[in-house]
Amino acid sequence: LMVRDLSLPPAHAFGTPLTNVSLRLHEGEVLGIGGVAGNGQDELLAALSGEILAPEATLFLGGRDISRLGPDARRRAGVLTGPEERLGHAAAPDMSLTENALLSVSYDPAMVKRGLIDWSATRAFAESVIARFDVRTPGPDTAARALSGGNLQKYVMGREIVQNPMVLVVNQPTWGVDAAAAAVIRQALLDLAAQGAGVIVISQDLDELMEVSDRFAGLTNGRLSSFRPTSDLSVEEIGL
């Protein structure tokens, strides 16, 4: 994935405009992006997911310009995202876990064939996420709002990871989960990269970013610093 001089004016951003953001994500790499909340994290994820359409010739996937593709087309191309707000953005509160699974895999012909939903396949997909990420729930027919925050976080992160995307971008992936669940999610992100995916982790947790990322950059007032190898960085340098 390549982002080249991406700028979003205030009228197209939720709050913080992005200014000349550039990055290059390679296969098998984890990029960490840190910063204090409200510095453009939500806007960057929305631009990468297609919720905000970027100016032409600013986003490329394998050399293909995807700047003007919306979320469904991005997903079909292999770019999946996990936003920070789990209830209301990553999941529809009153829909079941199976229905919420469908919302992110409806592009998959194994789930929707000739316009018809294959509910048995969708339910099986939801059950696989529940099992792999140890989501504590009565079952896939449970409404998303009935889950605890930590269990819903495991579900929405797991739902994206098990699809084996080419690129995965997540914002605050372990927010609100216990230490054991956070370790499972982080390891799953590392395993995904080891399989050849490119992963971008946006987080306010510096320890998390230092643990999982190969290269690190800071996001401040909508501007992204140059990336540095995480192995060469200290927390003090990041703060400065």
Side-chain angles (χ1 to χ4, degrees), residues 109-133:
M111 308 294 172
V112 179
K113 302 171 183 176
R114 301 186 186 92
L116 298 177
I117 300 168
D118 186 334
W119 283 112
S120 62
T122 307
R123 183 185 178 91
F125 173 79
E127 288 173 337
S128 72
V129 176
I130 291 168
R132 177 175 170 184
F133 287 86

PDB file of all heavy atoms in Angstrom, residues 109-133:
ATOM      1  N   PRO A 109     -18.281 -14.037  -2.370  1.00  0.00           N
ATOM      2  CA  PRO A 109     -19.294 -14.867  -3.040  1.00  0.00           C
ATOM      3  C   PRO A 109     -19.667 -16.118  -2.260  1.00  0.00           C
ATOM      4  O   PRO A 109     -20.702 -16.733  -2.545  1.00  0.00           O
ATOM      5  CB  PRO A 109     -18.632 -15.218  -4.378  1.00  0.00           C
ATOM      6  CG  PRO A 109     -17.169 -14.981  -4.186  1.00  0.00           C
ATOM      7  CD  PRO A 109     -17.068 -13.881  -3.181  1.00  0.00           C
ATOM      8  N   ALA A 110     -18.850 -16.504  -1.276  1.00  0.00           N
ATOM      9  CA  ALA A 110     -19.216 -17.644  -0.444  1.00  0.00           C
ATOM     10  C   ALA A 110     -20.341 -17.296   0.526  1.00  0.00           C
ATOM     11  O   ALA A 110     -21.032 -18.182   1.033  1.00  0.00           O
ATOM     12  CB  ALA A 110     -18.005 -18.140   0.343  1.00  0.00           C
ATOM     13  N   MET A 111     -20.528 -15.985   0.768  1.00  0.00           N
ATOM     14  CA  MET A 111     -21.563 -15.537   1.707  1.00  0.00           C
ATOM     15  C   MET A 111     -22.819 -15.030   0.991  1.00  0.00           C
ATOM     16  O   MET A 111     -23.933 -15.193   1.490  1.00  0.00           O
ATOM     17  CB  MET A 111     -21.005 -14.419   2.613  1.00  0.00           C
ATOM     18  CG  MET A 111     -19.713 -14.762   3.306  1.00  0.00           C
ATOM     19  SD  MET A 111     -19.870 -16.096   4.524  1.00  0.00           S
ATOM     20  CE  MET A 111     -18.136 -16.354   4.931  1.00  0.00           C
ATOM     21  N   VAL A 112     -22.626 -14.385  -0.135  1.00  0.00           N
ATOM     22  CA  VAL A 112     -23.755 -13.841  -0.900  1.00  0.00           C
ATOM     23  C   VAL A 112     -23.632 -14.324  -2.339  1.00  0.00           C
ATOM     24  O   VAL A 112     -22.686 -13.965  -3.045  1.00  0.00           O
ATOM     25  CB  VAL A 112     -23.782 -12.300  -0.845  1.00  0.00           C
ATOM     26  CG1 VAL A 112     -24.957 -11.766  -1.660  1.00  0.00           C
ATOM     27  CG2 VAL A 112     -23.876 -11.809   0.596  1.00  0.00           C
ATOM     28  N   LYS A 113     -24.576 -15.148  -2.762  1.00  0.00           N
ATOM     29  CA  LYS A 113     -24.534 -15.748  -4.093  1.00  0.00           C
ATOM     30  C   LYS A 113     -25.725 -15.257  -4.905  1.00  0.00           C
ATOM     31  O   LYS A 113     -26.874 -15.442  -4.505  1.00  0.00           O
ATOM     32  CB  LYS A 113     -24.569 -17.276  -3.985  1.00  0.00           C
ATOM     33  CG  LYS A 113     -23.436 -17.855  -3.150  1.00  0.00           C
ATOM     34  CD  LYS A 113     -23.635 -19.340  -2.894  1.00  0.00           C
ATOM     35  CE  LYS A 113     -22.536 -19.885  -1.987  1.00  0.00           C
ATOM     36  NZ  LYS A 113     -22.752 -21.311  -1.650  1.00  0.00           N
ATOM     37  N   ARG A 114     -25.440 -14.616  -6.023  1.00  0.00           N
ATOM     38  CA  ARG A 114     -26.485 -14.082  -6.907  1.00  0.00           C
ATOM     39  C   ARG A 114     -27.473 -13.193  -6.138  1.00  0.00           C
ATOM     40  O   ARG A 114     -28.678 -13.227  -6.374  1.00  0.00           O
ATOM     41  CB  ARG A 114     -27.238 -15.210  -7.617  1.00  0.00           C
ATOM     42  CG  ARG A 114     -26.361 -16.116  -8.476  1.00  0.00           C
ATOM     43  CD  ARG A 114     -27.205 -17.112  -9.253  1.00  0.00           C
ATOM     44  NE  ARG A 114     -26.354 -18.058  -9.968  1.00  0.00           N
ATOM     45  CZ  ARG A 114     -25.959 -19.232  -9.459  1.00  0.00           C
ATOM     46  NH1 ARG A 114     -26.341 -19.576  -8.237  1.00  0.00           N
ATOM     47  NH2 ARG A 114     -25.203 -20.044 -10.143  1.00  0.00           N
ATOM     48  N   GLY A 115     -26.945 -12.449  -5.204  1.00  0.00           N
ATOM     49  CA  GLY A 115     -27.783 -11.528  -4.442  1.00  0.00           C
ATOM     50  C   GLY A 115     -28.499 -12.148  -3.263  1.00  0.00           C
ATOM     51  O   GLY A 115     -29.230 -11.459  -2.543  1.00  0.00           O
ATOM     52  N   LEU A 116     -28.320 -13.459  -3.029  1.00  0.00           N
ATOM     53  CA  LEU A 116     -28.987 -14.137  -1.923  1.00  0.00           C
ATOM     54  C   LEU A 116     -27.972 -14.461  -0.822  1.00  0.00           C
ATOM     55  O   LEU A 116     -26.894 -14.977  -1.092  1.00  0.00           O
ATOM     56  CB  LEU A 116     -29.648 -15.436  -2.406  1.00  0.00           C
ATOM     57  CG  LEU A 116     -30.745 -15.266  -3.462  1.00  0.00           C
ATOM     58  CD1 LEU A 116     -31.255 -16.621  -3.911  1.00  0.00           C
ATOM     59  CD2 LEU A 116     -31.892 -14.421  -2.912  1.00  0.00           C
ATOM     60  N   ILE A 117     -28.360 -14.170   0.420  1.00  0.00           N
ATOM     61  CA  ILE A 117     -27.479 -14.408   1.554  1.00  0.00           C
ATOM     62  C   ILE A 117     -27.478 -15.888   1.904  1.00  0.00           C
ATOM     63  O   ILE A 117     -28.536 -16.501   2.063  1.00  0.00           O
ATOM     64  CB  ILE A 117     -27.942 -13.593   2.781  1.00  0.00           C
ATOM     65  CG1 ILE A 117     -27.923 -12.094   2.464  1.00  0.00           C
ATOM     66  CG2 ILE A 117     -27.067 -13.895   3.992  1.00  0.00           C
ATOM     67  CD1 ILE A 117     -28.635 -11.253   3.506  1.00  0.00           C
ATOM     68  N   ASP A 118     -26.296 -16.456   2.034  1.00  0.00           N
ATOM     69  CA  ASP A 118     -26.151 -17.822   2.528  1.00  0.00           C
ATOM     70  C   ASP A 118     -25.962 -17.731   4.041  1.00  0.00           C
ATOM     71  O   ASP A 118     -24.848 -17.558   4.528  1.00  0.00           O
ATOM     72  CB  ASP A 118     -24.948 -18.504   1.863  1.00  0.00           C
ATOM     73  CG  ASP A 118     -24.832 -19.980   2.236  1.00  0.00           C
ATOM     74  OD1 ASP A 118     -25.328 -20.344   3.321  1.00  0.00           O
ATOM     75  OD2 ASP A 118     -24.254 -20.754   1.445  1.00  0.00           O
ATOM     76  N   TRP A 119     -27.070 -17.858   4.771  1.00  0.00           N
ATOM     77  CA  TRP A 119     -27.007 -17.638   6.213  1.00  0.00           C
ATOM     78  C   TRP A 119     -26.221 -18.728   6.929  1.00  0.00           C
ATOM     79  O   TRP A 119     -25.596 -18.473   7.961  1.00  0.00           O
ATOM     80  CB  TRP A 119     -28.415 -17.525   6.794  1.00  0.00           C
ATOM     81  CG  TRP A 119     -29.049 -16.199   6.522  1.00  0.00           C
ATOM     82  CD1 TRP A 119     -30.116 -15.934   5.712  1.00  0.00           C
ATOM     83  CD2 TRP A 119     -28.630 -14.929   7.039  1.00  0.00           C
ATOM     84  NE1 TRP A 119     -30.391 -14.580   5.688  1.00  0.00           N
ATOM     85  CE2 TRP A 119     -29.503 -13.942   6.503  1.00  0.00           C
ATOM     86  CE3 TRP A 119     -27.606 -14.520   7.903  1.00  0.00           C
ATOM     87  CZ2 TRP A 119     -29.379 -12.592   6.801  1.00  0.00           C
ATOM     88  CZ3 TRP A 119     -27.493 -13.168   8.194  1.00  0.00           C
ATOM     89  CH2 TRP A 119     -28.361 -12.218   7.651  1.00  0.00           C
ATOM     90  N   SER A 120     -26.238 -19.948   6.411  1.00  0.00           N
ATOM     91  CA  SER A 120     -25.474 -21.010   7.077  1.00  0.00           C
ATOM     92  C   SER A 120     -23.979 -20.732   6.976  1.00  0.00           C
ATOM     93  O   SER A 120     -23.226 -20.926   7.942  1.00  0.00           O
ATOM     94  CB  SER A 120     -25.811 -22.374   6.466  1.00  0.00           C
ATOM     95  OG  SER A 120     -25.466 -22.422   5.098  1.00  0.00           O
ATOM     96  N   ALA A 121     -23.520 -20.253   5.824  1.00  0.00           N
ATOM     97  CA  ALA A 121     -22.105 -19.916   5.663  1.00  0.00           C
ATOM     98  C   ALA A 121     -21.740 -18.716   6.526  1.00  0.00           C
ATOM     99  O   ALA A 121     -20.659 -18.671   7.136  1.00  0.00           O
ATOM    100  CB  ALA A 121     -21.794 -19.634   4.200  1.00  0.00           C
ATOM    101  N   THR A 122     -22.633 -17.725   6.580  1.00  0.00           N
ATOM    102  CA  THR A 122     -22.362 -16.528   7.384  1.00  0.00           C
ATOM    103  C   THR A 122     -22.318 -16.872   8.863  1.00  0.00           C
ATOM    104  O   THR A 122     -21.458 -16.388   9.612  1.00  0.00           O
ATOM    105  CB  THR A 122     -23.434 -15.460   7.115  1.00  0.00           C
ATOM    106  OG1 THR A 122     -23.537 -15.217   5.713  1.00  0.00           O
ATOM    107  CG2 THR A 122     -23.089 -14.156   7.808  1.00  0.00           C
ATOM    108  N   ARG A 123     -23.239 -17.718   9.305  1.00  0.00           N
ATOM    109  CA  ARG A 123     -23.259 -18.136  10.706  1.00  0.00           C
ATOM    110  C   ARG A 123     -21.983 -18.920  11.035  1.00  0.00           C
ATOM    111  O   ARG A 123     -21.382 -18.722  12.102  1.00  0.00           O
ATOM    112  CB  ARG A 123     -24.499 -18.984  10.973  1.00  0.00           C
ATOM    113  CG  ARG A 123     -24.653 -19.417  12.425  1.00  0.00           C
ATOM    114  CD  ARG A 123     -25.837 -20.364  12.575  1.00  0.00           C
ATOM    115  NE  ARG A 123     -25.970 -20.825  13.948  1.00  0.00           N
ATOM    116  CZ  ARG A 123     -26.704 -20.231  14.872  1.00  0.00           C
ATOM    117  NH1 ARG A 123     -27.389 -19.139  14.557  1.00  0.00           N
ATOM    118  NH2 ARG A 123     -26.777 -20.719  16.094  1.00  0.00           N
ATOM    119  N   ALA A 124     -21.559 -19.786  10.128  1.00  0.00           N
ATOM    120  CA  ALA A 124     -20.337 -20.560  10.355  1.00  0.00           C
ATOM    121  C   ALA A 124     -19.124 -19.635  10.466  1.00  0.00           C
ATOM    122  O   ALA A 124     -18.214 -19.874  11.275  1.00  0.00           O
ATOM    123  CB  ALA A 124     -20.136 -21.568   9.234  1.00  0.00           C
ATOM    124  N   PHE A 125     -19.110 -18.589   9.642  1.00  0.00           N
ATOM    125  CA  PHE A 125     -18.027 -17.609   9.720  1.00  0.00           C
ATOM    126  C   PHE A 125     -18.024 -16.939  11.087  1.00  0.00           C
ATOM    127  O   PHE A 125     -16.971 -16.815  11.737  1.00  0.00           O
ATOM    128  CB  PHE A 125     -18.176 -16.562   8.609  1.00  0.00           C
ATOM    129  CG  PHE A 125     -17.208 -15.420   8.708  1.00  0.00           C
ATOM    130  CD1 PHE A 125     -15.902 -15.563   8.274  1.00  0.00           C
ATOM    131  CD2 PHE A 125     -17.602 -14.204   9.243  1.00  0.00           C
ATOM    132  CE1 PHE A 125     -15.001 -14.511   8.378  1.00  0.00           C
ATOM    133  CE2 PHE A 125     -16.709 -13.152   9.346  1.00  0.00           C
ATOM    134  CZ  PHE A 125     -15.414 -13.297   8.910  1.00  0.00           C
ATOM    135  N   ALA A 126     -19.206 -16.499  11.555  1.00  0.00           N
ATOM    136  CA  ALA A 126     -19.301 -15.855  12.869  1.00  0.00           C
ATOM    137  C   ALA A 126     -18.847 -16.805  13.970  1.00  0.00           C
ATOM    138  O   ALA A 126     -18.127 -16.407  14.899  1.00  0.00           O
ATOM    139  CB  ALA A 126     -20.736 -15.391  13.121  1.00  0.00           C
ATOM    140  N   GLU A 127     -19.246 -18.070  13.876  1.00  0.00           N
ATOM    141  CA  GLU A 127     -18.852 -19.056  14.882  1.00  0.00           C
ATOM    142  C   GLU A 127     -17.341 -19.277  14.885  1.00  0.00           C
ATOM    143  O   GLU A 127     -16.739 -19.494  15.940  1.00  0.00           O
ATOM    144  CB  GLU A 127     -19.587 -20.377  14.627  1.00  0.00           C
ATOM    145  CG  GLU A 127     -21.079 -20.307  14.962  1.00  0.00           C
ATOM    146  CD  GLU A 127     -21.820 -21.571  14.551  1.00  0.00           C
ATOM    147  OE1 GLU A 127     -21.323 -22.291  13.662  1.00  0.00           O
ATOM    148  OE2 GLU A 127     -22.907 -21.816  15.119  1.00  0.00           O
ATOM    149  N   SER A 128     -16.716 -19.207  13.705  1.00  0.00           N
ATOM    150  CA  SER A 128     -15.266 -19.391  13.640  1.00  0.00           C
ATOM    151  C   SER A 128     -14.535 -18.246  14.333  1.00  0.00           C
ATOM    152  O   SER A 128     -13.504 -18.456  14.986  1.00  0.00           O
ATOM    153  CB  SER A 128     -14.804 -19.520  12.185  1.00  0.00           C
ATOM    154  OG  SER A 128     -14.888 -18.278  11.495  1.00  0.00           O
ATOM    155  N   VAL A 129     -15.058 -17.024  14.202  1.00  0.00           N
ATOM    156  CA  VAL A 129     -14.462 -15.864  14.882  1.00  0.00           C
ATOM    157  C   VAL A 129     -14.621 -16.016  16.393  1.00  0.00           C
ATOM    158  O   VAL A 129     -13.680 -15.805  17.164  1.00  0.00           O
ATOM    159  CB  VAL A 129     -15.109 -14.557  14.400  1.00  0.00           C
ATOM    160  CG1 VAL A 129     -14.558 -13.364  15.186  1.00  0.00           C
ATOM    161  CG2 VAL A 129     -14.880 -14.349  12.907  1.00  0.00           C
ATOM    162  N   ILE A 130     -15.829 -16.406  16.822  1.00  0.00           N
ATOM    163  CA  ILE A 130     -16.108 -16.579  18.255  1.00  0.00           C
ATOM    164  C   ILE A 130     -15.163 -17.613  18.860  1.00  0.00           C
ATOM    165  O   ILE A 130     -14.603 -17.409  19.943  1.00  0.00           O
ATOM    166  CB  ILE A 130     -17.578 -16.989  18.452  1.00  0.00           C
ATOM    167  CG1 ILE A 130     -18.503 -15.815  18.101  1.00  0.00           C
ATOM    168  CG2 ILE A 130     -17.829 -17.452  19.884  1.00  0.00           C
ATOM    169  CD1 ILE A 130     -19.972 -16.196  17.990  1.00  0.00           C
ATOM    170  N   ALA A 131     -14.959 -18.714  18.143  1.00  0.00           N
ATOM    171  CA  ALA A 131     -14.111 -19.783  18.673  1.00  0.00           C
ATOM    172  C   ALA A 131     -12.638 -19.382  18.696  1.00  0.00           C
ATOM    173  O   ALA A 131     -11.942 -19.586  19.703  1.00  0.00           O
ATOM    174  CB  ALA A 131     -14.299 -21.036  17.835  1.00  0.00           C
ATOM    175  N   ARG A 132     -12.154 -18.810  17.600  1.00  0.00           N
ATOM    176  CA  ARG A 132     -10.720 -18.515  17.516  1.00  0.00           C
ATOM    177  C   ARG A 132     -10.305 -17.447  18.514  1.00  0.00           C
ATOM    178  O   ARG A 132      -9.209 -17.518  19.089  1.00  0.00           O
ATOM    179  CB  ARG A 132     -10.364 -18.071  16.096  1.00  0.00           C
ATOM    180  CG  ARG A 132      -8.897 -17.672  15.951  1.00  0.00           C
ATOM    181  CD  ARG A 132      -8.507 -17.358  14.536  1.00  0.00           C
ATOM    182  NE  ARG A 132      -7.182 -16.757  14.490  1.00  0.00           N
ATOM    183  CZ  ARG A 132      -6.607 -16.306  13.375  1.00  0.00           C
ATOM    184  NH1 ARG A 132      -7.223 -16.440  12.213  1.00  0.00           N
ATOM    185  NH2 ARG A 132      -5.408 -15.754  13.423  1.00  0.00           N
ATOM    186  N   PHE A 133     -11.182 -16.461  18.751  1.00  0.00           N
ATOM    187  CA  PHE A 133     -10.803 -15.347  19.627  1.00  0.00           C
ATOM    188  C   PHE A 133     -11.460 -15.426  20.998  1.00  0.00           C
ATOM    189  O   PHE A 133     -11.443 -14.437  21.743  1.00  0.00           O
ATOM    190  CB  PHE A 133     -11.108 -14.009  18.930  1.00  0.00           C
ATOM    191  CG  PHE A 133     -10.147 -13.700  17.826  1.00  0.00           C
ATOM    192  CD1 PHE A 133     -10.357 -14.198  16.550  1.00  0.00           C
ATOM    193  CD2 PHE A 133      -9.003 -12.969  18.064  1.00  0.00           C
ATOM    194  CE1 PHE A 133      -9.456 -13.944  15.524  1.00  0.00           C
ATOM    195  CE2 PHE A 133      -8.092 -12.711  17.056  1.00  0.00           C
ATOM    196  CZ  PHE A 133      -8.318 -13.197  15.784  1.00  0.00           C
TER     197      PHE A 133
END
